[in-house]
Amino acid sequence: MSELEFWKLRKIAGRTSRREFMGRAAALGVSTALMTTMLGEIAMAAKPKKGGTLRLGMAGGSTTDSMDMTTWTDSVALVCGFTMMNGLIENGPDNKPIPELAESWDAKPGAADWVLNIRKGVTFHNGKTLDADDVIYSLNLHRGNTKSGAAGPMKAITDIKKLSDYQIE
């Protein structure tokens, strides 16, 4: 086993800090690119721990920022929100829509009505399981009389109906 492999295993086991690992790797002549790659591998190998602190190095933000997604107006609030919450559909690497909390979706003839199938087995931090009612509630936060930045695009949605526990139209 190489000395670098030894330090990598110590980092995975939680027996050394990130700072110490980076220092040892640099002393061994490892490039920054390789260290970053190795730290990514280490992060993927480590068991997740509940809790912790998220620190972001971003310009902006305000003392009035809140977790109320209908008030988000700048990149700091949006980035924080997207680290803690999921969307129904997201853009894939090729900029085409891919499922996230919506497992699948279909347009009815004419594309005026859409049916979304909600992913089963998604659990909130409090143990509650995601269902159609949660999705409808979240979408309705951006409809009607709201300050939400998503209110404009949501004006086209005239109604949201629950078809089953895991399906909305």
Side-chain angles (χ1 to χ4, degrees), residues 1 5 32 34 38 49 66 71 81 83 87 113 122-123 133 139:
M1 169 185 332
E5 190 65 25
T32 304
L34 181 56
M38 289 180 76
K49 296 180 202 170
S66 120
T71 65
T83 63
D113 296 316
V122 176
T123 306
D133 293 322
L139 291 172

Side-chain angles (χ1 to χ4, degrees), residues 35-47:
M35 278 189 263
T36 304
T37 301
M38 289 180 76
L39 283 170
E41 291 171 2
I42 290 167
M44 296 302 288
K47 282 188 171 185

Side-chain angles (χ1 to χ4, degrees), residues 91-154:
N91 285 336
D94 57 357
N95 208 31
K96 292 183 179 170
I98 58 173
E100 193 169 9
L101 292 177
E103 198 167 59
S104 62
W105 56 91
D106 290 303
K108 290 189 175 182
D113 296 316
W114 290 74
V115 175
L116 284 83
N117 298 300
I118 309 305
R119 187 173 304 281
K120 295 176 182 159
V122 176
T123 306
F124 289 101
H125 71 284
N126 64 0
K128 184 197 178 303
T129 303
L130 175 74
D131 61 22
D133 293 322
D134 299 312
V135 174
I136 292 170
Y137 173 82
S138 295
L139 291 172
N140 281 335
L141 288 172
H142 307 286
R143 297 178 64 225
N145 187 16
T146 178
K147 299 179 286 182
S148 172
M154 295 294 284

